[in-house]
Amino acid sequence: MASPSLAERVVVTAEQMQAIETRLFAAGLPVAALMEKVANRLSQRLMAEYPDRQQRWGIWVGPGHNGGDALVVARELHLQGYPVQIWHPFERRKPLTEAHLQFAQHLGIPITNTYPDSCDRWLDGGFGFGLSRTLNEASQAAIAYLNASGKPICSIDLPSGLDTDRGEPLGAAIAAERTVCLGLWKQGLLQLAAAPWRGQLERLDFGIPEADIVAVLGSNPPRQILTDARAIAALPLPLATDAHKYRRGHLLLIVGSQRYRGAALLAAIAARASGVGMVTLAVPEHLSAIAVAQVPEALVLACPETAAGEIAELPLDCDRYSAIAIGPGVGTGSSIRSVLQQVLQQARSLLIDADALTVLAQHPEDWTLRLAGSATVITPHAGEFQRLFGSVPTPETVDAAVAEHSVILVRKGPSPTVATPTGTSWSLVDSTPALARGGSGDVLTGLLGGLLAQTDAVSAAIAATWWHSRTAQAIARTHSPLGVSPTDLAAQLAFWLGQRLRSDSAHGYLTRE
């Protein structure tokens, strides 16, 4: 498998992108030449994607260079026979944008400052990266017109109105069908706040020299895309020829209660798919027979339970396990806090999820029980993150949380992200909303826990996040997004990975050759 280039995998802030462009311009690259190069490549991409020359394109042109890009695209579409109409409701514009507007007028492309309603699709060239102030009322009104049109919108670089770094609407934002990100991935596009606006994401390369990226971000940039190559390299493969079950890791999975019996089984089945050598399943006593029947490979520990059907105590020595995972469906009673306190004090890799995170949020002082130097992974959704740390998950708040508590955090959502205390993070460009179902997180916990027993915590988090998401996407393609049940997800993890590893040169990971 070919290694992705630095441009393919780096994620930048507005300040970093501006610094890279400044280097290009200082080295002699004219701004006009860069605009022509980028917009011409975008034009070719759009014409390949939308070959019907009867479709009428509306081009929303902003006052800055994003508007200049849009004008070059408008020119190229016009010259190739597409019906094009330019909407430019601004009195001022940058000189280069002004020049392209004048040439578009010379070519006879219709230009209006009032909203045209005769377009079949729109190109959003309003505002690109670097936007950090709230849009004025006129710009917000223009965005409202476009969103209300019901026509598909393709945004250049970012949907107009989004904060480049945080992904939040600055008063209003274009609801794009797709966003073509220029050059390097922008941090804001990968944030939870951007999900309703960004649509389908793709990156358009325009040949930024790697030396200029390294000069600004270093050779190992702190924020990166989680590529297939990076995730596959994180898997505990190939297996050693002299492997046996104890060398392949032993996971203690603490799960389930009377109310959430299914969570225990989903997590256990996913742990089995991870390839871990052994799984001990700690469940309330009433769940033990079901667990044995559904996951016969597991060693099932029937724990004493409370009147509410939650684990009352954990009657075992944790020293024998490679990793411990706790949370799915365990409940939030006082006995669960005692169990959590017990595992927090173990010198073992630890994964905390679901109900266990809720208990930890109720008793934040228990963070201090965690032994220094012991790897800890947490997997909160947005609500759990807010309960734990008192703020919504943003790049800044996630960085602060993982640094303060020395944890590895898997941020769930449209672009799942693995954040580490060193400041390095990896994000999937896309996942699938089909994972927004009760039980999907239990599957992730079991899978991640099983990998955590076999490899280091960062590798386990990276591999599990990718594997979980890509399997769900594959099911969605065959069964529709409505058909991605957590039961099928857990059952198909191993099958999907086998297909993926055989699909290209990655087959070498399956066995030693």
Side-chain angles (χ1 to χ4, degrees):
M1 178 184 296
S3 298
S5 68
L6 192 59
E8 290 177 272
R9 58 188 174 85
V10 69
V11 180
V12 293
T13 64
E15 181 180 4
Q16 290 165 343
M17 189 67 203
Q18 288 166 345
I20 291 169
E21 287 194 345
T22 297
R23 287 184 58 86
L24 298 180
F25 301 144
L29 177 64
V31 176
L34 180 60
M35 183 177 289
E36 282 288 331
K37 181 178 184 180
V38 171
N40 270 285
R41 290 194 179 186
L42 177 57
S43 302
Q44 293 167 10
R45 179 73 186 91
L46 294 177
M47 285 187 279
E49 185 71 22
Y50 307 107
D52 183 1
R53 281 167 168 73
Q54 300 303 310
Q55 287 205 328
R56 299 165 297 178
W57 278 87
I59 313 292
W60 185 42
V61 173
H65 286 169
N66 195 249
D69 292 337
L71 285 166
V72 176
V73 174
R75 181 194 74 204
E76 292 304 302
L77 292 176
H78 170 77
L79 293 174
Q80 293 300 318
Y82 289 84
V84 173
Q85 187 167 14
I86 293 169
W87 180 33
H88 181 61
F90 299 92
E91 295 181 358
R92 298 180 180 179
R93 52 204 148 264
K94 288 189 174 182
L96 188 53
T97 305
E98 172 69 32
H100 282 299
L101 189 66
Q102 289 179 9
F103 190 61
Q105 189 172 22
H106 172 75
L107 292 174
I109 302 175
I111 301 171
T112 179
N113 59 7
T114 58
Y115 173 73
D117 57 5
S118 58
C119 302
D120 298 311
R121 62 176 59 252
W122 280 94
L123 181 66
D124 162 29
F127 302 93
F129 86 88
L131 186 67
S132 58
R133 57 177 174 78
T134 301
L135 295 174
N136 60 31
E137 291 184 9
S139 295
Q140 292 189 41
I143 288 173
Y145 278 126
L146 290 171
N147 287 342
S149 73
K151 307 299 182 183
I153 305 172
C154 176
S155 290
I156 302 175
D157 213 15
L158 294 97
S160 289
L162 286 192
D163 182 287
T164 308
D165 296 342
R166 300 172 67 88
E168 298 171 347
L170 294 169
I174 288 290
E177 177 189 60
R178 70 169 52 205
T179 298
V180 181
C181 187
L182 305 180
L184 305 175
W185 290 107
K186 309 307 185 296
Q187 177 178 285
L189 288 173
L190 306 179
Q191 304 310 309
L192 293 171
W197 316 103
R198 69 187 197 183
Q200 179 183 337
L201 292 179
E202 60 183 289
R203 186 186 70 92
L204 185 72
D205 186 73
F206 59 83
I208 298 175
E210 185 166 308
D212 292 295
I213 300 174
V214 171
V216 173
L217 299 172
S219 58
N220 188 30
R223 299 194 192 279
Q224 299 187 32
I225 295 298
L226 178 45
T227 63
D228 288 0
R230 179 67 181 89
I232 290 172
L235 290 166
L237 290 173
L239 299 179
T241 54
D242 62 346
H244 57 71
K245 61 186 178 183
Y246 294 107
R247 286 188 183 175
R248 291 181 61 181
H250 191 171
L251 171 66
L252 172 61
L253 190 56
I254 306 168
V255 285
S257 63
Q258 179 68 39
R259 186 178 182 184
Y260 299 112
R261 289 175 287 186
L265 299 178
L266 288 170
I269 293 168
R272 176 176 64 189
S274 75
V276 67
M278 295 187 68
V279 176
T280 290
L281 195 57
V283 295
E285 186 173 4
H286 76 272
L287 264 176
S288 59
I290 300 173
V292 170
Q294 294 294 319
V295 195
E297 301 92 338
L299 303 175
V300 177
L301 175 66
C303 298
E305 59 185 88
T306 67
E310 298 177 355
I311 294 173
E313 61 178 288
L314 194 63
L316 51 76
D317 181 0
C318 295
D319 286 344
R320 72 183 70 179
Y321 304 104
S322 312
I324 304 171
I326 180 172
V330 294
T332 57
S334 59
S335 64
I336 300 302
R337 184 190 180 193
S338 297
V339 173
L340 179 59
Q341 288 177 324
Q342 180 179 345
V343 299
L344 282 168
Q345 297 176 72
Q346 305 303 315
R348 295 290 178 270
S349 296
L350 174 62
L351 168 59
I352 310 174
D353 181 44
D355 288 340
L357 289 176
T358 298
V359 171
L360 190 57
Q362 294 168 347
H363 304 281
E365 64 274 17
D366 288 351
W367 280 112
T368 60
L369 298 175
R370 188 65 180 139
L371 295 180
S374 299
T376 306
V377 183
I378 61 175
T379 57
H381 56 59
E384 289 166 341
F385 184 94
Q386 191 160 3
R387 289 194 291 272
L388 274 167
F389 305 114
S391 59
V392 298
T394 67
E396 296 80 10
T397 58
V398 169
D399 285 349
V402 298
E404 179 182 359
H405 297 287
S406 296
V407 296
I408 295 154
L409 185 146
V410 176
R411 191 202 70 189
K412 301 172 186 175
S415 294
T417 297
V418 177
T420 69
T422 62
T424 304
S425 65
W426 294 266
S427 299
L428 281 174
V429 170
D430 62 338
S431 182
T432 171
L435 282 171
R437 298 184 69 172
S440 294
D442 304 325
V443 175
L444 177 61
T445 295
L447 179 63
L448 204 165
L451 291 169
L452 190 62
Q454 301 174 71
T455 188
D456 65 274
V458 172
S459 294
I462 286 173
T465 299
W466 170 82
W467 188 355
H468 180 257
S469 179
R470 294 292 184 247
T471 304
Q473 288 176 306
I475 298 172
R477 285 192 293 271
T478 56
H479 298 315
S480 90
L482 300 178
V484 184
S485 74
T487 301
D488 285 345
L489 178 62
Q492 293 195 35
L493 287 167
F495 175 75
W496 177 84
L497 184 65
Q499 285 190 314
R500 178 63 186 83
L501 294 181
R502 288 184 178 90
S503 66
D504 54 26
S505 59
H507 72 276
Y509 284 94
L510 295 176
T511 58
R512 289 190 184 274
E513 296 183 344

